[in-house]
Amino acid sequence: MKATIATTSLAGCFGCHMSILDIDERLLDLLDIVEFDKSPITDIKKFTRQIDIGLIEGGCCNSENIIVLKDFRKHCKILIAVGECAIMGGVPSMRNGIELDECINEAYISGPTVKLNTEKIIPNDPELPALLPRVYSCNEIVKIDYFLPGCPPRPDLIWEAITSLLEGRQIDPSYESLKFD
Amino acid sequence: MQKNISLSINGNKISTTKSKTIVEAAEDNGIYIPTLCFLKGKLDHSNCRICTVKVDGYHKPACSTLVADNMDVITNSDELEELRKYIIELLFSTGNHICAVCQKSGDCELQALAYKYKLLFSRFEHLYPNKGIDTTSSDKIIMDKSRCILCQRCIQAIKDKDGNPFFVLQGRSNALEVVFDKEMNDIFTQEDAIEAVKQCPVGCILSKESAAFETPIGRRQFDKTEIGNKEV
Amino acid sequence: MKTTISSIIDKTGNDRHKLLNILHLLQLEYGYITEDVIEALSEELNITKSQILQVTSFYHYLYDEFKGRIVIHVNRSIIALISGYADIVKTLEKECSCKMETISEDGEFGLWNTSCIGMSDQEPAILINGFPFTDLNTSKTKEIISKIKNGKSLESIFEEYEPDKYKLSIGEQSVDKTKTYIKGPLLDDEYTPFTSIELLQTKISPQNILDIVYESGLQGRGGAGFSVGRKWKAAAQAKNKKKYVICNADEGEPGTFKDRVLLSEKPEVVFEGMLISAYAIGAHKGIVYLRKEYEYMKVYLEKVLQDMRDKEFIGPNSIFGFEIRIQIGAGAYVCGEASALLESMEGKRGEPREKYMQPTEYGYLGKPTIVNNVESFAIVPSIIYHGSKWYKHYGTDFSAGTKVLSIAGDCAKPGIYELPWGISINTLLKLTYAKNTKAVIVGGMSGHLLPPEEFDRVICYSDLSTGGAIMILNNERNLLKDVVLPSLDFFIDESCGSCSTCRNVPGYLREIARDMEYHKLSHSNYIKIIEWGKLLSISRCGLGKSVASLLIDFIHKFTHDYEIETLPEIKSD
């Protein structure tokens, strides 16, 4: 039976997903041994079974991120934080030293590029998830089993990680595949 | 008047000259000891502690311990490597080191050490400090203080002709900071600025002149070559 | 302003190394180091403002902002916390109408915490503009503040409430409120000061002194325990002709106050000890580095020095031409470390030096220097007078002599005990009439936290080595809240910040310790404490190395005091 993989992007840029796709022709080899379940790649929205490996891109910047992450933890045997944002907050966490109000104000009201918001409205639709006071890394919210650093992680690192996990080997990234940028 | 000294590093007998530090003596013999704050010729200054080695059974900083006859030095035990990993993680977590947006990335010594030790994440909680960015004190450099690891190399290495430093310390304990001495701006030359950027092991001191991200990924200092590996 | 600053600089000598003294005088003049002061000073001394700020921002007692016309430092040591610190703070906050760490609206009062002012036997204690007020309670605190408010001069209030200390502050001899319960060869009055000096002139050569001190087995009494004789011999062999003798009176270790008592009651023998060491190593200048908290006794110490000058024991007309001056510190625990003390004396930030060179070769201003504790110097005259064998018969085989212990906390008789090395904690508890003792801290914040099972351990260099601070805690105390957390707060506050380890790790440890108040100690946190303790041990100086010592003792020896998730077997190294 094929192993199952689920992926999601929380407070991320989808760059890590791009990097997954960037394993190029090995993607075909991968599809021989795994099946993608809930993931933006398959557009499956809900978990219907237990999954072997969950790949998390991005940290948690809003309330929805936390719900999704906890849902992943519940349904995935192994959870991997993929990319700097999932590991330590990454680029979104650059707001962490600044008050939330100040960030929102800069983004929607007083920032130099804000031209069209003449009525000075801060998005307030109740459907929008609430922003958290700071961005959290995934392992601050749930237990994370493995970490794949990089912004995004090199495709080789992702390939090495998934295959070695499925084959029961220790992950041993090459010097060139382990980079933080 | 240089005296020959013989000592053992990791069980290998080596000979060297007096007044060398363990780091230098090891380097001459092809043994790399990681350093961040070390500056050749400056001893009184070992802040990062990453070069800690075992000398005759005691932990000593290799960058400011002089070689002595019959010294027994261990540089690479599991214990020492573990301590080094901890220090790298500590420095990553207590500053804002987001490599993707840092123009030093690829040439950063802290990052290079993390690559060397294959660090995947930090066991310390990230603190996300906001110590501000100083863009006004100097017309040649900016300082992103949240990235500073307080190695103090800029203080030691860059001085005016009377020996006064361009960078000074401020505060103490976990509020300690390195700041650029505004009053020295007039005599801070472009060469000094380039040297400061070069000395900074992380992306704290950056030049206002040179364009950021000039070197493409793949050709930067540590993209393919491990730190301490001499075959560049 | 310029003329005032010029005159102050002229008085102290236009010397970068005298920066601390200059700053003290300027602060006295202007209340705090204002920007204008720094501006003018930088012009006078021809250094940049940032370089001055570099020094001022290092010390607790150099203020870079207005701290109130009446600056009140409230002692927040372990003993203060268990003796009613909270009540005093409450009263002060009410009477001064401001919260701790702030200034009252009218700028009259400023309330600030400080780590330990060396009054552990007289807690709670506070410093008001540098004058210590001790044994406080709510009503006494109220009285003192209302008297200040009514315009009574601080000196007269000081005289009224602390007559013993007031006398010292005006240069008169006095016996401190601190009780001395047991006297030994150092504190009994059998030795008449200055008798050994007479011997120097006639019978004893410098080499004799080095040999006697070496053979006596005297070890440094500040805590580190380095052989005094060996240190002196190294300095005597140093080739440089200019040498210094420094007396370390920066008694910053929380819980200890014996140096204060020695200096107020037996300053003559301390200075005599310095003189003897100077004669032995060939030094001509001696400096007493007195902590800022003890500045009130400076006038008295100066008077004793003047008497010695009059008798021509020291000064330009004396036989050896040896001179002693007093340097006031500026509030930094780390300056008790010899090399940090040297840096501080040179008018710099008090950061410990790397140990590639010993002070005996490269010390104060780069000259050979010996730095010894007050107590080490104080016993030297008696040793010279009676000989090394006499001294060796006190104590144990490997720890010669006696130790002056400062004992405080939950016991009926807190005070000074001079006892031979080798005494057990049990005996100490009996001597001090301590009851229901839960724990004893030996060696202050950087020492050991002992449970009753270990009260048979003895105080000596091979078991419990200490600078002399003993704190006793009874069953009512919450060790986590009263001891461990304050110790971490203390180290976070006092770290110089040089080492990456000591600057950063204590904060993480405090988070774990705080967590222990409410949650079980998890296995992973347990591992963290042990591992991070090791990480701290590679710091440069003793402060960094010992940050976690009380915490580690606590989690190993007081397991019934908190909940543990699962505790693995403890491996001993």
Side-chain angles (χ1 to χ4, degrees), chain B residues 2-41:
Chain B
Q2 289 205 319
K3 199 172 122 191
N4 271 327
I5 282 191
S6 77
L7 68 154
S8 122
I9 299 186
N10 301 336
N12 302 316
K13 283 263 172 280
I14 65 161
S15 59
T16 182
T17 44
K18 202 185 168 180
S19 81
K20 280 208 174 184
T21 60
I22 295 176
V23 166
E24 291 162 316
E27 194 188 345
D28 295 345
N29 288 274
I31 300 161
Y32 172 70
I33 299 172
T35 60
L36 282 171
C37 66
F38 175 60
L39 262 178
K40 273 210 168 90

Side-chain angles (χ1 to χ4, degrees), chain B:
Chain B
M1 270 270 290
Q2 289 205 319
K3 199 172 122 191
N4 271 327
I5 282 191
S6 77
L7 68 154
S8 122
I9 299 186
N10 301 336
N12 302 316
K13 283 263 172 280
I14 65 161
S15 59
T16 182
T17 44
K18 202 185 168 180
S19 81
K20 280 208 174 184
T21 60
I22 295 176
V23 166
E24 291 162 316
E27 194 188 345
D28 295 345
N29 288 274
I31 300 161
Y32 172 70
I33 299 172
T35 60
L36 282 171
C37 66
F38 175 60
L39 262 178
K40 273 210 168 90
K42 304 273 181 199
L43 286 167
D44 197 11
H45 149 92
S46 48
N47 306 313
C48 72
R49 315 306 288 179
I50 205 156
C51 67
T52 300
V53 293
K54 266 217 157 140
V55 178
D56 302 328
Y58 293 98
H59 285 129
K60 292 259 171 74
C63 73
S64 54
T65 305
L66 296 170
V67 289
D69 244 338
N70 301 322
M71 212 178 217
D72 179 25
V73 182
I74 304 288
T75 70
N76 59 358
S77 67
D78 288 350
E79 183 202 9
L80 291 170
E81 302 284 62
E82 185 66 14
L83 289 173
R84 283 176 198 147
K85 284 183 196 170
Y86 265 125
I87 293 175
I88 299 165
E89 291 169 26
L90 194 59
L91 293 173
F92 262 101
S93 294
T94 51
N96 283 347
H97 299 286
I98 301 170
C99 300
V101 294
C102 178
Q103 67 192 73
K104 199 66 175 263
S105 185
D107 300 316
C108 168
E109 291 175 31
L110 179 64
Q111 188 193 48
L113 283 172
Y115 291 166
K116 178 183 163 64
Y117 288 102
K118 296 194 173 167
L119 293 183
L120 302 178
F121 73 110
S122 168
R123 285 167 282 182
F124 296 95
E125 199 181 311
H126 280 268
L127 299 182
Y128 307 106
N130 183 8
K131 294 180 183 161
I133 301 175
D134 180 5
T135 58
T136 52
S137 295
S138 157
D139 53 5
K140 299 188 179 64
I141 54 161
I142 62 168
M143 285 180 83
D144 185 340
K145 290 193 204 153
S146 308
R147 291 181 188 162
C148 179
I149 57 166
L150 294 149
C151 70
Q152 304 183 22
R153 249 157 76 173
C154 52
I155 301 178
Q156 300 284 339
I158 304 137
K159 292 181 175 169
D160 71 356
K161 58 180 182 350
D162 302 324
N164 293 315
F166 286 101
F167 296 87
V168 289
L169 288 171
Q170 222 86 111
R172 60 191 279 164
S173 188
N174 49 15
L176 185 68
E177 277 184 359
V178 173
V179 298
F180 181 77
D181 193 340
K182 268 189 261 187
E183 289 164 81
M184 306 279 277
N185 186 35
D186 292 343
I187 51 169
F188 191 59
T189 63
Q190 190 56 34
E191 287 76 57
D192 292 332
I194 291 168
E195 181 65 15
V197 175
K198 204 181 105 195
Q199 285 298 344
C200 186
V202 289
C204 170
I205 303 175
L206 299 168
S207 168
K208 284 187 181 177
E209 296 287 317
S210 68
F213 304 105
E214 268 181 325
T215 323
I217 289 180
R219 274 196 256 149
R220 298 169 305 181
Q221 202 180 346
F222 302 116
D223 277 341
K224 297 202 163 81
T225 320
E226 195 176 296
I227 190 168
N229 195 339
K230 277 198 148 182
E231 297 135 38
V232 181

Side-chain angles (χ1 to χ4, degrees), chain B residues 46 125 169 171-173 181, chain C residues 48 54 58 349 354 492 508:
Chain B
S46 48
E125 199 181 311
L169 288 171
R172 60 191 279 164
S173 188
D181 193 340
Chain C
T48 65
Q54 171 162 270
F58 186 82
R349 297 165 61 83
E354 197 45 68
I492 290 170
Y508 287 110

Side-chain angles (χ1 to χ4, degrees), chain C residues 432-449:
Chain C
T432 54
Y433 291 86
K435 276 195 194 118
N436 302 326
T437 305
K438 178 182 196 175
V440 174
I441 307 171
V442 179
M445 295 290 192
S446 47
H448 314 264
L449 182 65

Side-chain angles (χ1 to χ4, degrees), chain C residues 108-126:
Chain C
E108 188 63 19
F109 294 100
L111 296 179
W112 313 95
N113 278 313
T114 190
S115 47
C116 184
I117 61 171
M119 300 286 168
S120 285
D121 59 323
Q122 305 165 36
E123 294 294 347
I126 58 176

Side-chain angles (χ1 to χ4, degrees), chain C residues 237-294:
Chain C
Q237 279 160 10
K239 288 192 184 78
N240 202 313
K241 279 203 177 128
K242 216 167 182 183
K243 295 176 189 176
Y244 292 94
V245 169
I246 289 165
C247 173
N248 182 350
D250 191 53
E251 187 177 38
E253 187 63 63
T256 162
F257 46 90
K258 47 110 186 160
D259 289 348
R260 172 175 60 78
V261 174
L262 281 171
L263 281 173
S264 58
E265 290 175 14
K266 294 206 166 280
E268 297 87 358
V269 286
V270 177
F271 299 146
E272 189 185 358
M274 290 175 73
L275 175 58
I276 292 170
S277 76
Y279 170 69
I281 69 164
H284 295 282
K285 280 213 170 113
I287 305 161
V288 179
Y289 186 95
L290 187 67
R291 70 190 296 225
K292 180 74 177 168
E293 290 86 339
Y294 294 169

Side-chain angles (χ1 to χ4, degrees), chain A residues 116-158:
Chain A
L116 299 171
N117 188 8
T118 46
E119 287 164 61
K120 297 191 189 303
I121 296 170
I122 292 169
N124 56 3
D125 193 300
E127 287 282 304
L128 289 174
L131 278 183
L132 302 174
R134 73 167 173 92
V135 176
Y136 293 86
S137 62
C138 290
N139 66 332
E140 284 182 275
I141 310 291
V142 298
K143 183 179 182 297
I144 298 290
D145 303 302
Y146 295 99
F147 299 84
L148 299 179
C151 191
R154 300 289 183 270
D156 286 350
L157 182 66
I158 297 175

